[in-house]
Amino acid sequence: MNKLLFTVIAVFVSSILFAQNAFSQSKIDTKTLNSKVLNADRDYTIYLPKSYQTDSERRYPVLYLLHGMTETNKTWQNNMRLKEVADRLMESGDAKEMIIVTPNAGGDLSKNQWNGYFNMPGWEYETFFFDEFIPFIENNYRVKSDKNNRAVAGLSMGGGGTVVYAQKHSDMFCAAYAMSALVSLNNLTASGDENEITMHLYRSVLANDCIKFVENADDNTKNNLRTVSWFIDCGDDDFLLDNNVDFTRAMKKAAIPYQFRVRDGGHTSEYWHTALYLCIPFVSRNFDN
C-alpha cells in the first residue's frame, strides 16, 4: 500500500513539474491581421520569452526583425533559427528578455507577390507598419511602447528597411541593427526583364537611398540620428559590402556614431544566423534597464 501511494504521489508531482516546465517555455507563433491600409491579410511571427506566460503583469521591450527580399515572416525562424538563438542568449543572461516580431513584407516576386518595406503604388507598406502594425502589436501584447524599449533590425532588403525606418522615425527606435543591408542602389542595376512589382520595389529603394539621406541631412536631422544606436554588419564576400562601406563613410562624415563589423561570410542564411548572436545582445544593451 505504501509503495502504491508513493508511486501515485511521484507520478502526480512529476505531472505538475512537467506542466509547469512546459508552461514556462518561450513560444513562437505565427498569426494574421487584416490591414485596411493594404486591403489584405498579413501574417507575422512573434517570439514570446520564457516568463511571458507566467508573469502576467510584466511588460517587455520589443525588437522588430525584418526579413529579406522574396522571404517572409517565417524565414527568421525557419532559416536562421531565431527561437534557438534568442532562448540561448536570454537563458545565459547575454540579453534581457524581449518580444521579437517579424512582419511579412515579402513573397515570390516571380508570381507578382508584393515585396518591400516602403510605400509604392498599390502597396503602402510603410504606412501600414507605423499606423497599423506597431499599434496592433502594442494593443495585443505586453510590449513597452516607448522609444527606449523599441528597436528594429533586418537583413538585406530588411536591412535597408531597418536603416530607413530608423532614419525617418528616429523618435521611435533606440537602436537599429542592419545586416547585409540594401542601403543604396549604387553599383547595382536592374536586369531589364523585371515584372511591374519588381520595378516598383526597385524605384522605392532608389527613392529611399540611405546614403543620400545622411549626405543631405540638416543639423536637426543629424541630431535626431544621433539618438539612435547604429550597428552595421556585412560579410567580406557580400555583394552589398561596398555600399555598406559608403554608408558608414557618410555617417562618419556627418559625425553620427555607429558600430561597423565586417565578418567572414557572404549574403547567406548562416551569416544572418550568426549575426543574431550580435544583434540581440546589442539591442538589449540599448533598452531601458
Side-chain angles (χ1 to χ4, degrees):
M1 183 65 178
N2 289 339
K3 185 176 181 180
L4 177 60
L5 180 60
F6 176 80
T7 301
V8 171
I9 293 173
V11 170
F12 179 71
V13 171
S14 297
S15 299
I16 292 176
L17 292 174
F18 177 81
Q20 289 177 336
N21 185 60
F23 192 62
S24 64
Q25 294 303 303
S26 68
K27 186 178 182 182
I28 194 159
D29 281 332
T30 294
K31 305 266 189 177
T32 304
L33 76 153
N34 180 262
S35 168
K36 293 181 180 179
V37 172
L38 299 176
N39 192 29
D41 289 339
R42 298 309 298 170
D43 291 342
Y44 66 95
T45 298
I46 188 163
Y47 169 90
L48 301 174
K50 185 176 180 180
S51 69
Y52 190 85
Q53 297 181 77
T54 58
D55 192 348
S56 61
E57 300 300 317
R58 183 175 175 184
R59 304 187 79 82
Y60 297 82
V62 59
L63 168 63
Y64 291 92
L65 189 59
L66 312 183
H67 61 74
M69 190 184 300
T70 75
E71 297 174 346
T72 71
N73 54 293
K74 296 181 179 179
T75 305
W76 275 109
Q77 172 61 17
N78 293 344
N79 293 8
M80 279 72 84
R81 310 188 290 283
L82 171 62
K83 184 177 183 297
E84 170 194 315
V85 177
D87 283 350
R88 185 172 296 173
L89 290 169
M90 294 177 201
E91 190 70 30
S92 68
D94 291 322
K96 63 184 65 175
E97 285 193 321
M98 68 184 75
I99 290 173
I100 304 174
V101 187
T102 61
N104 183 11
D108 189 342
L109 281 168
S110 68
K111 296 179 181 178
N112 269 342
Q113 293 178 355
W114 283 106
N115 271 258
Y117 293 98
F118 313 133
N119 287 344
M120 58 190 89
W123 184 250
E124 302 287 317
Y125 193 87
E126 187 173 342
T127 300
F128 157 73
F129 187 86
F130 287 95
D131 291 357
E132 283 189 321
F133 188 65
I134 288 181
F136 173 85
I137 295 298
E138 293 178 351
N139 288 331
N140 287 275
Y141 298 93
R142 297 194 313 275
V143 301
K144 296 180 178 180
S145 56
D146 61 285
K147 170 185 170 73
N148 293 330
N149 287 287
R150 188 189 296 117
V152 61
L155 69 90
S156 195
M157 180 182 79
T162 293
V163 176
V164 171
Y165 281 7
Q167 286 179 331
K168 294 165 70 174
H169 304 271
S170 57
D171 60 319
M172 294 192 67
F173 301 105
C174 65
Y177 191 108
M179 314 169 197
S180 312
L182 183 60
V183 293
S184 171
L185 290 178
N186 290 347
N187 308 312
L188 302 172
T189 57
S191 64
D193 59 353
E194 286 82 2
N195 59 36
E196 182 180 2
I197 286 178
T198 305
M199 290 309 300
H200 280 321
L201 174 59
Y202 182 89
R203 286 190 286 268
S204 76
V205 174
L206 190 65
N208 288 276
D209 189 299
C210 305
I211 299 172
K212 290 181 180 177
F213 186 95
V214 176
E215 292 175 340
N216 296 330
D218 59 24
D219 289 342
N220 184 61
T221 301
K222 291 175 185 177
N223 284 332
N224 291 336
L225 295 177
R226 294 182 188 113
T227 70
V228 180
S229 292
W230 299 91
F231 199 122
I232 313 302
D233 179 357
C234 194
D236 57 1
D237 293 321
D238 197 304
F239 71 98
L240 293 175
L241 177 60
D242 287 346
N243 284 349
N244 278 253
V245 170
D246 289 343
F247 174 68
T248 61
R249 286 174 174 163
M251 293 280 279
K252 184 175 182 178
K253 185 175 181 180
I256 300 166
Y258 62 89
Q259 294 187 52
F260 183 35
R261 297 291 184 279
V262 178
R263 300 184 292 118
D264 183 32
H267 211 75
T268 66
S269 295
E270 188 56 32
Y271 188 89
W272 303 317
H273 165 70
T274 60
L276 284 173
Y277 284 99
L278 297 174
C279 171
I280 294 175
F282 171 75
V283 300
S284 177
R285 291 191 297 271
N286 284 281
F287 290 143
D288 264 353
N289 293 324

Short mmCIF file of all heavy atoms in Angstrom, two decimals, residues 172-232:
data_model
loop_
_atom_site.label_atom_id
_atom_site.label_comp_id
_atom_site.label_asym_id
_atom_site.label_seq_id
_atom_site.Cartn_x
_atom_site.Cartn_y
_atom_site.Cartn_z
N MET A 172 11.25 56.89 -32.69
CA MET A 172 10.55 55.66 -32.30
C MET A 172 11.48 54.52 -31.93
O MET A 172 11.04 53.55 -31.30
CB MET A 172 9.63 55.20 -33.44
CG MET A 172 8.48 56.15 -33.70
SD MET A 172 7.22 55.44 -34.79
CE MET A 172 6.55 54.13 -33.74
N PHE A 173 12.76 54.58 -32.31
CA PHE A 173 13.66 53.46 -32.10
C PHE A 173 14.92 53.88 -31.34
O PHE A 173 15.53 54.90 -31.68
CB PHE A 173 14.07 52.83 -33.44
CG PHE A 173 12.91 52.34 -34.25
CD1 PHE A 173 12.47 53.04 -35.37
CD2 PHE A 173 12.24 51.18 -33.90
CE1 PHE A 173 11.40 52.61 -36.12
CE2 PHE A 173 11.16 50.72 -34.65
CZ PHE A 173 10.74 51.43 -35.76
N CYS A 174 15.30 53.08 -30.35
CA CYS A 174 16.54 53.37 -29.64
C CYS A 174 17.74 52.75 -30.33
O CYS A 174 18.87 53.20 -30.13
CB CYS A 174 16.45 52.86 -28.19
SG CYS A 174 16.31 51.06 -28.02
N ALA A 175 17.51 51.72 -31.15
CA ALA A 175 18.63 51.01 -31.78
C ALA A 175 18.20 50.45 -33.13
O ALA A 175 17.03 50.09 -33.33
CB ALA A 175 19.13 49.88 -30.88
N ALA A 176 19.17 50.38 -34.05
CA ALA A 176 18.94 49.82 -35.38
C ALA A 176 20.14 48.95 -35.74
O ALA A 176 21.28 49.41 -35.70
CB ALA A 176 18.76 50.92 -36.41
N TYR A 177 19.89 47.68 -36.09
CA TYR A 177 20.95 46.74 -36.44
C TYR A 177 20.69 46.27 -37.88
O TYR A 177 19.73 45.55 -38.15
CB TYR A 177 20.96 45.56 -35.48
CG TYR A 177 22.18 44.67 -35.59
CD1 TYR A 177 23.15 44.66 -34.59
CD2 TYR A 177 22.36 43.82 -36.67
CE1 TYR A 177 24.27 43.84 -34.67
CE2 TYR A 177 23.48 43.00 -36.77
CZ TYR A 177 24.43 43.02 -35.77
OH TYR A 177 25.54 42.21 -35.86
N ALA A 178 21.54 46.69 -38.80
CA ALA A 178 21.35 46.40 -40.22
C ALA A 178 22.37 45.34 -40.68
O ALA A 178 23.57 45.56 -40.57
CB ALA A 178 21.50 47.66 -41.05
N MET A 179 21.87 44.23 -41.21
CA MET A 179 22.73 43.14 -41.67
C MET A 179 22.71 43.08 -43.19
O MET A 179 21.63 43.05 -43.80
CB MET A 179 22.23 41.79 -41.13
CG MET A 179 21.88 41.78 -39.67
SD MET A 179 21.02 40.23 -39.24
CE MET A 179 20.28 40.70 -37.67
N SER A 180 23.88 43.09 -43.82
CA SER A 180 23.97 42.94 -45.27
C SER A 180 22.95 43.84 -45.95
O SER A 180 22.22 43.41 -46.84
CB SER A 180 23.72 41.48 -45.67
OG SER A 180 24.47 40.59 -44.89
N ALA A 181 22.90 45.09 -45.54
CA ALA A 181 21.76 45.95 -45.85
C ALA A 181 21.78 46.51 -47.27
O ALA A 181 22.82 46.94 -47.77
CB ALA A 181 21.71 47.11 -44.84
N LEU A 182 20.62 46.52 -47.87
CA LEU A 182 20.42 47.17 -49.17
C LEU A 182 20.18 48.66 -48.89
O LEU A 182 19.04 49.13 -48.87
CB LEU A 182 19.23 46.55 -49.90
CG LEU A 182 18.93 47.07 -51.31
CD1 LEU A 182 20.10 46.85 -52.26
CD2 LEU A 182 17.66 46.43 -51.85
N VAL A 183 21.26 49.39 -48.66
CA VAL A 183 21.17 50.80 -48.26
C VAL A 183 21.12 51.75 -49.45
O VAL A 183 20.81 52.92 -49.30
CB VAL A 183 22.34 51.20 -47.33
CG1 VAL A 183 22.24 50.49 -45.99
CG2 VAL A 183 23.69 50.91 -48.00
N SER A 184 21.45 51.24 -50.63
CA SER A 184 21.52 52.09 -51.82
C SER A 184 21.58 51.18 -53.04
O SER A 184 21.93 50.00 -52.94
CB SER A 184 22.78 52.97 -51.76
OG SER A 184 22.98 53.65 -52.99
N LEU A 185 21.22 51.75 -54.18
CA LEU A 185 21.35 51.00 -55.44
C LEU A 185 22.62 51.39 -56.20
O LEU A 185 22.78 51.02 -57.36
CB LEU A 185 20.12 51.24 -56.32
CG LEU A 185 18.83 50.61 -55.81
CD1 LEU A 185 17.66 50.94 -56.74
CD2 LEU A 185 18.96 49.09 -55.68
N ASN A 186 23.51 52.12 -55.53
CA ASN A 186 24.81 52.41 -56.15
C ASN A 186 25.49 51.11 -56.55
O ASN A 186 25.52 50.15 -55.79
CB ASN A 186 25.71 53.17 -55.17
CG ASN A 186 25.24 54.58 -54.91
OD1 ASN A 186 24.39 55.09 -55.62
ND2 ASN A 186 25.78 55.19 -53.86
N ASN A 187 26.02 51.08 -57.76
CA ASN A 187 26.74 49.91 -58.29
C ASN A 187 25.82 48.73 -58.57
O ASN A 187 26.29 47.63 -58.90
CB ASN A 187 27.85 49.45 -57.32
CG ASN A 187 28.78 50.57 -56.92
OD1 ASN A 187 29.26 51.32 -57.78
ND2 ASN A 187 29.01 50.73 -55.62
N LEU A 188 24.50 48.93 -58.45
CA LEU A 188 23.54 47.86 -58.72
C LEU A 188 22.59 48.34 -59.80
O LEU A 188 22.16 49.49 -59.80
CB LEU A 188 22.76 47.50 -57.46
CG LEU A 188 23.56 47.06 -56.25
CD1 LEU A 188 22.65 46.93 -55.03
CD2 LEU A 188 24.26 45.73 -56.52
N THR A 189 22.23 47.47 -60.72
CA THR A 189 21.33 47.85 -61.81
C THR A 189 20.27 46.77 -62.00
O THR A 189 20.50 45.59 -61.72
CB THR A 189 22.08 48.03 -63.14
OG1 THR A 189 22.79 46.82 -63.45
CG2 THR A 189 23.06 49.18 -63.05
N ALA A 190 19.11 47.18 -62.49
CA ALA A 190 18.07 46.23 -62.84
C ALA A 190 18.48 45.50 -64.11
O ALA A 190 19.16 46.06 -64.97
CB ALA A 190 16.74 46.96 -63.05
N SER A 191 18.05 44.26 -64.24
CA SER A 191 18.47 43.46 -65.39
C SER A 191 17.69 43.81 -66.65
O SER A 191 18.12 43.51 -67.76
CB SER A 191 18.30 41.97 -65.08
OG SER A 191 16.92 41.66 -64.89
N GLY A 192 16.52 44.43 -66.49
CA GLY A 192 15.75 44.83 -67.67
C GLY A 192 14.56 43.94 -67.94
O GLY A 192 13.69 44.30 -68.74
N ASP A 193 14.49 42.76 -67.29
CA ASP A 193 13.36 41.85 -67.54
C ASP A 193 12.48 41.70 -66.30
O ASP A 193 11.74 40.73 -66.16
CB ASP A 193 13.88 40.48 -68.00
CG ASP A 193 14.80 39.84 -66.97
OD1 ASP A 193 15.15 40.51 -65.97
OD2 ASP A 193 15.17 38.66 -67.16
N GLU A 194 12.52 42.69 -65.39
CA GLU A 194 11.75 42.61 -64.16
C GLU A 194 10.26 42.83 -64.44
O GLU A 194 9.88 43.55 -65.37
CB GLU A 194 12.24 43.66 -63.14
CG GLU A 194 13.57 43.33 -62.49
CD GLU A 194 14.75 43.71 -63.36
OE1 GLU A 194 14.53 44.27 -64.45
OE2 GLU A 194 15.90 43.45 -62.95
N ASN A 195 9.42 42.23 -63.59
CA ASN A 195 8.00 42.48 -63.70
C ASN A 195 7.65 43.81 -63.05
O ASN A 195 8.50 44.50 -62.48
CB ASN A 195 7.18 41.33 -63.09
CG ASN A 195 7.51 41.10 -61.62
OD1 ASN A 195 7.77 42.05 -60.87
ND2 ASN A 195 7.49 39.85 -61.20
N GLU A 196 6.37 44.19 -63.10
CA GLU A 196 5.95 45.51 -62.63
C GLU A 196 6.22 45.70 -61.14
O GLU A 196 6.70 46.75 -60.71
CB GLU A 196 4.47 45.71 -62.92
CG GLU A 196 3.96 47.09 -62.51
CD GLU A 196 2.48 47.27 -62.80
OE1 GLU A 196 1.85 46.30 -63.28
OE2 GLU A 196 1.95 48.37 -62.53
N ILE A 197 5.94 44.67 -60.35
CA ILE A 197 6.14 44.78 -58.90
C ILE A 197 7.62 44.92 -58.58
O ILE A 197 8.01 45.71 -57.71
CB ILE A 197 5.51 43.58 -58.18
CG1 ILE A 197 3.98 43.72 -58.17
CG2 ILE A 197 6.04 43.45 -56.75
CD1 ILE A 197 3.23 42.59 -57.53
N THR A 198 8.46 44.17 -59.27
CA THR A 198 9.90 44.28 -59.06
C THR A 198 10.38 45.69 -59.37
O THR A 198 11.22 46.25 -58.64
CB THR A 198 10.67 43.27 -59.92
OG1 THR A 198 10.18 41.95 -59.66
CG2 THR A 198 12.16 43.30 -59.60
N MET A 199 9.86 46.29 -60.41
CA MET A 199 10.26 47.65 -60.76
C MET A 199 9.76 48.66 -59.73
O MET A 199 10.44 49.63 -59.41
CB MET A 199 9.77 48.02 -62.16
CG MET A 199 10.47 47.27 -63.28
SD MET A 199 12.30 47.37 -63.16
CE MET A 199 12.58 49.14 -63.26
N HIS A 200 8.55 48.44 -59.18
CA HIS A 200 8.07 49.30 -58.10
C HIS A 200 9.03 49.22 -56.91
O HIS A 200 9.37 50.24 -56.29
CB HIS A 200 6.67 48.87 -57.66
CG HIS A 200 5.57 49.35 -58.53
ND1 HIS A 200 5.55 50.61 -59.09
CD2 HIS A 200 4.42 48.74 -58.93
CE1 HIS A 200 4.44 50.76 -59.80
NE2 HIS A 200 3.74 49.63 -59.74
N LEU A 201 9.45 48.00 -56.59
CA LEU A 201 10.39 47.80 -55.48
C LEU A 201 11.72 48.51 -55.76
O LEU A 201 12.28 49.19 -54.90
CB LEU A 201 10.62 46.31 -55.25
CG LEU A 201 11.69 45.91 -54.23
CD1 LEU A 201 11.38 46.47 -52.85
CD2 LEU A 201 11.83 44.40 -54.16
N TYR A 202 12.22 48.33 -56.97
CA TYR A 202 13.48 48.97 -57.38
C TYR A 202 13.39 50.49 -57.20
O TYR A 202 14.29 51.12 -56.62
CB TYR A 202 13.78 48.59 -58.83
CG TYR A 202 15.08 49.13 -59.37
CD1 TYR A 202 16.26 48.40 -59.25
CD2 TYR A 202 15.13 50.35 -60.04
CE1 TYR A 202 17.46 48.89 -59.77
CE2 TYR A 202 16.30 50.85 -60.55
CZ TYR A 202 17.47 50.11 -60.42
OH TYR A 202 18.64 50.61 -60.92
N ARG A 203 12.30 51.07 -57.68
CA ARG A 203 12.15 52.53 -57.60
C ARG A 203 11.98 52.98 -56.15
O ARG A 203 12.43 54.07 -55.77
CB ARG A 203 10.97 52.97 -58.46
CG ARG A 203 11.25 52.94 -59.96
CD ARG A 203 10.15 53.62 -60.75
NE ARG A 203 8.95 52.79 -60.81
CZ ARG A 203 8.68 51.93 -61.78
NH1 ARG A 203 9.54 51.77 -62.78
NH2 ARG A 203 7.57 51.24 -61.78
N SER A 204 11.34 52.15 -55.31
CA SER A 204 11.14 52.54 -53.91
C SER A 204 12.46 52.55 -53.16
O SER A 204 12.69 53.41 -52.29
CB SER A 204 10.15 51.60 -53.22
OG SER A 204 10.72 50.34 -52.91
N VAL A 205 13.35 51.61 -53.46
CA VAL A 205 14.68 51.60 -52.84
C VAL A 205 15.47 52.81 -53.32
O VAL A 205 16.18 53.47 -52.54
CB VAL A 205 15.42 50.29 -53.15
CG1 VAL A 205 16.85 50.33 -52.62
CG2 VAL A 205 14.68 49.10 -52.55
N LEU A 206 15.36 53.11 -54.61
CA LEU A 206 16.05 54.28 -55.17
C LEU A 206 15.60 55.56 -54.47
O LEU A 206 16.42 56.45 -54.17
CB LEU A 206 15.77 54.36 -56.67
CG LEU A 206 16.59 55.36 -57.49
CD1 LEU A 206 18.06 54.98 -57.50
CD2 LEU A 206 16.05 55.42 -58.93
N ALA A 207 14.30 55.66 -54.20
CA ALA A 207 13.76 56.86 -53.57
C ALA A 207 14.10 56.96 -52.08
O ALA A 207 13.98 58.02 -51.48
CB ALA A 207 12.24 56.90 -53.74
N ASN A 208 14.50 55.82 -51.49
CA ASN A 208 14.84 55.80 -50.06
C ASN A 208 16.31 55.44 -49.85
O ASN A 208 16.65 54.61 -49.01
CB ASN A 208 13.95 54.78 -49.34
CG ASN A 208 12.52 55.24 -49.19
OD1 ASN A 208 12.17 55.98 -48.28
ND2 ASN A 208 11.67 54.82 -50.13
N ASP A 209 17.16 56.09 -50.61
CA ASP A 209 18.60 55.86 -50.54
C ASP A 209 19.14 56.31 -49.17
O ASP A 209 19.08 57.49 -48.82
CB ASP A 209 19.30 56.63 -51.66
CG ASP A 209 20.76 56.27 -51.80
OD1 ASP A 209 21.52 56.48 -50.82
OD2 ASP A 209 21.14 55.80 -52.88
N CYS A 210 19.66 55.36 -48.40
CA CYS A 210 20.12 55.66 -47.03
C CYS A 210 21.35 56.55 -47.02
O CYS A 210 21.54 57.35 -46.09
CB CYS A 210 20.43 54.36 -46.30
SG CYS A 210 19.07 53.17 -46.25
N ILE A 211 22.21 56.41 -48.01
CA ILE A 211 23.44 57.20 -48.07
C ILE A 211 23.09 58.66 -48.36
O ILE A 211 23.57 59.58 -47.69
CB ILE A 211 24.40 56.65 -49.14
CG1 ILE A 211 24.80 55.20 -48.80
CG2 ILE A 211 25.63 57.54 -49.26
CD1 ILE A 211 25.60 54.51 -49.88
N LYS A 212 22.22 58.88 -49.35
CA LYS A 212 21.82 60.24 -49.69
C LYS A 212 21.08 60.91 -48.53
O LYS A 212 21.19 62.12 -48.32
CB LYS A 212 20.96 60.24 -50.95
CG LYS A 212 21.72 59.89 -52.22
CD LYS A 212 20.81 59.92 -53.45
CE LYS A 212 21.61 59.55 -54.70
NZ LYS A 212 20.71 59.52 -55.90
N PHE A 213 20.32 60.11 -47.79
CA PHE A 213 19.61 60.68 -46.64
C PHE A 213 20.58 61.32 -45.66
O PHE A 213 20.36 62.43 -45.18
CB PHE A 213 18.79 59.59 -45.94
CG PHE A 213 17.92 60.10 -44.83
CD1 PHE A 213 16.59 60.41 -45.06
CD2 PHE A 213 18.42 60.27 -43.53
CE1 PHE A 213 15.78 60.90 -44.04
CE2 PHE A 213 17.62 60.76 -42.50
CZ PHE A 213 16.29 61.08 -42.76
N VAL A 214 21.68 60.61 -45.37
CA VAL A 214 22.68 61.14 -44.44
C VAL A 214 23.40 62.34 -45.07
O VAL A 214 23.61 63.36 -44.41
CB VAL A 214 23.69 60.05 -44.04
CG1 VAL A 214 24.79 60.63 -43.15
CG2 VAL A 214 22.97 58.91 -43.33
N GLU A 215 23.77 62.20 -46.33
CA GLU A 215 24.51 63.28 -47.00
C GLU A 215 23.70 64.57 -47.07
O GLU A 215 24.26 65.67 -47.02
CB GLU A 215 24.92 62.82 -48.40
CG GLU A 215 25.98 61.72 -48.41
CD GLU A 215 26.27 61.21 -49.80
OE1 GLU A 215 25.43 61.40 -50.71
OE2 GLU A 215 27.35 60.60 -49.99
N ASN A 216 22.37 64.44 -47.19
CA ASN A 216 21.52 65.61 -47.34
C ASN A 216 20.90 66.08 -46.02
O ASN A 216 20.12 67.04 -46.01
CB ASN A 216 20.39 65.31 -48.34
CG ASN A 216 20.91 65.04 -49.74
OD1 ASN A 216 21.95 65.57 -50.13
ND2 ASN A 216 20.20 64.22 -50.49
N ALA A 217 21.24 65.41 -44.93
CA ALA A 217 20.62 65.73 -43.64
C ALA A 217 21.05 67.11 -43.13
O ALA A 217 22.24 67.46 -43.19
CB ALA A 217 20.98 64.65 -42.62
N ASP A 218 20.09 67.86 -42.62
CA ASP A 218 20.43 69.13 -41.98
C ASP A 218 20.85 68.86 -40.54
O ASP A 218 20.85 67.71 -40.07
CB ASP A 218 19.25 70.11 -42.05
CG ASP A 218 17.98 69.58 -41.39
OD1 ASP A 218 18.06 68.70 -40.51
OD2 ASP A 218 16.89 70.05 -41.77
N ASP A 219 21.23 69.90 -39.82
CA ASP A 219 21.77 69.72 -38.46
C ASP A 219 20.75 69.10 -37.53
O ASP A 219 21.09 68.24 -36.69
CB ASP A 219 22.24 71.06 -37.89
CG ASP A 219 23.51 71.57 -38.56
OD1 ASP A 219 24.21 70.75 -39.20
OD2 ASP A 219 23.81 72.78 -38.45
N ASN A 220 19.49 69.49 -37.66
CA ASN A 220 18.45 68.93 -36.79
C ASN A 220 18.26 67.45 -37.04
O ASN A 220 18.14 66.64 -36.09
CB ASN A 220 17.13 69.67 -37.01
CG ASN A 220 16.04 69.19 -36.06
OD1 ASN A 220 16.18 69.29 -34.84
ND2 ASN A 220 14.96 68.66 -36.62
N THR A 221 18.26 67.06 -38.32
CA THR A 221 18.13 65.64 -38.67
C THR A 221 19.32 64.84 -38.15
O THR A 221 19.15 63.73 -37.62
CB THR A 221 18.00 65.48 -40.19
OG1 THR A 221 16.85 66.20 -40.64
CG2 THR A 221 17.87 64.02 -40.58
N LYS A 222 20.52 65.38 -38.28
CA LYS A 222 21.71 64.70 -37.77
C LYS A 222 21.62 64.50 -36.26
O LYS A 222 21.98 63.43 -35.74
CB LYS A 222 22.96 65.48 -38.13
CG LYS A 222 23.30 65.48 -39.61
CD LYS A 222 24.50 66.37 -39.91
CE LYS A 222 24.77 66.46 -41.40
NZ LYS A 222 25.90 67.38 -41.69
N ASN A 223 21.13 65.50 -35.57
CA ASN A 223 20.97 65.37 -34.11
C ASN A 223 19.97 64.26 -33.78
O ASN A 223 20.16 63.50 -32.83
CB ASN A 223 20.51 66.69 -33.50
CG ASN A 223 21.63 67.71 -33.40
OD1 ASN A 223 22.81 67.35 -33.29
ND2 ASN A 223 21.29 68.99 -33.43
N ASN A 224 18.91 64.16 -34.55
CA ASN A 224 17.92 63.10 -34.34
C ASN A 224 18.53 61.73 -34.60
O ASN A 224 18.28 60.77 -33.86
CB ASN A 224 16.71 63.31 -35.25
CG ASN A 224 15.88 64.51 -34.86
OD1 ASN A 224 15.92 64.95 -33.70
ND2 ASN A 224 15.13 65.06 -35.80
N LEU A 225 19.35 61.63 -35.65
CA LEU A 225 20.00 60.36 -35.96
C LEU A 225 20.96 59.93 -34.85
O LEU A 225 21.17 58.73 -34.63
CB LEU A 225 20.74 60.45 -37.29
CG LEU A 225 19.88 60.67 -38.54
CD1 LEU A 225 20.76 60.81 -39.78
CD2 LEU A 225 18.89 59.53 -38.73
N ARG A 226 21.51 60.88 -34.15
CA ARG A 226 22.44 60.57 -33.05
C ARG A 226 21.73 59.99 -31.83
O ARG A 226 22.39 59.49 -30.92
CB ARG A 226 23.24 61.82 -32.67
CG ARG A 226 24.18 62.30 -33.78
CD ARG A 226 25.00 63.52 -33.37
NE ARG A 226 25.74 64.03 -34.53
CZ ARG A 226 25.51 65.21 -35.11
NH1 ARG A 226 24.58 66.03 -34.61
NH2 ARG A 226 26.21 65.59 -36.17
N THR A 227 20.40 60.06 -31.81
CA THR A 227 19.66 59.48 -30.69
C THR A 227 19.41 57.99 -30.88
O THR A 227 18.86 57.33 -30.00
CB THR A 227 18.30 60.18 -30.49
OG1 THR A 227 17.43 59.87 -31.58
CG2 THR A 227 18.48 61.69 -30.38
N VAL A 228 19.81 57.47 -32.04
CA VAL A 228 19.67 56.04 -32.35
C VAL A 228 21.05 55.39 -32.25
O VAL A 228 22.04 55.96 -32.73
CB VAL A 228 19.10 55.83 -33.76
CG1 VAL A 228 18.96 54.34 -34.08
CG2 VAL A 228 17.76 56.54 -33.92
N SER A 229 21.12 54.21 -31.65
CA SER A 229 22.36 53.43 -31.65
C SER A 229 22.39 52.59 -32.92
O SER A 229 21.49 51.76 -33.14
CB SER A 229 22.44 52.54 -30.41
OG SER A 229 22.58 53.33 -29.25
N TRP A 230 23.43 52.78 -33.74
CA TRP A 230 23.51 52.15 -35.06
C TRP A 230 24.55 51.04 -35.07
O TRP A 230 25.64 51.21 -34.53
CB TRP A 230 23.90 53.19 -36.12
CG TRP A 230 22.93 54.31 -36.28
CD1 TRP A 230 22.93 55.50 -35.62
CD2 TRP A 230 21.80 54.33 -37.15
NE1 TRP A 230 21.87 56.28 -36.02
CE2 TRP A 230 21.16 55.59 -36.96
CE3 TRP A 230 21.26 53.43 -38.07
CZ2 TRP A 230 20.01 55.95 -37.67
CZ3 TRP A 230 20.12 53.80 -38.77
CH2 TRP A 230 19.52 55.04 -38.57
N PHE A 231 24.20 49.93 -35.72
CA PHE A 231 25.15 48.83 -35.90
C PHE A 231 25.00 48.32 -37.33
O PHE A 231 23.92 47.91 -37.74
CB PHE A 231 24.86 47.70 -34.90
CG PHE A 231 26.02 46.74 -34.70
CD1 PHE A 231 26.54 46.54 -33.43
CD2 PHE A 231 26.57 46.03 -35.75
CE1 PHE A 231 27.60 45.67 -33.20
CE2 PHE A 231 27.62 45.15 -35.55
CZ PHE A 231 28.14 44.97 -34.27
N ILE A 232 26.10 48.36 -38.08
CA ILE A 232 26.13 47.89 -39.48
C ILE A 232 26.99 46.63 -39.53
O ILE A 232 28.13 46.62 -39.06
CB ILE A 232 26.72 48.96 -40.42
CG1 ILE A 232 26.10 50.33 -40.14
CG2 ILE A 232 26.54 48.55 -41.88
CD1 ILE A 232 24.62 50.39 -40.27
#
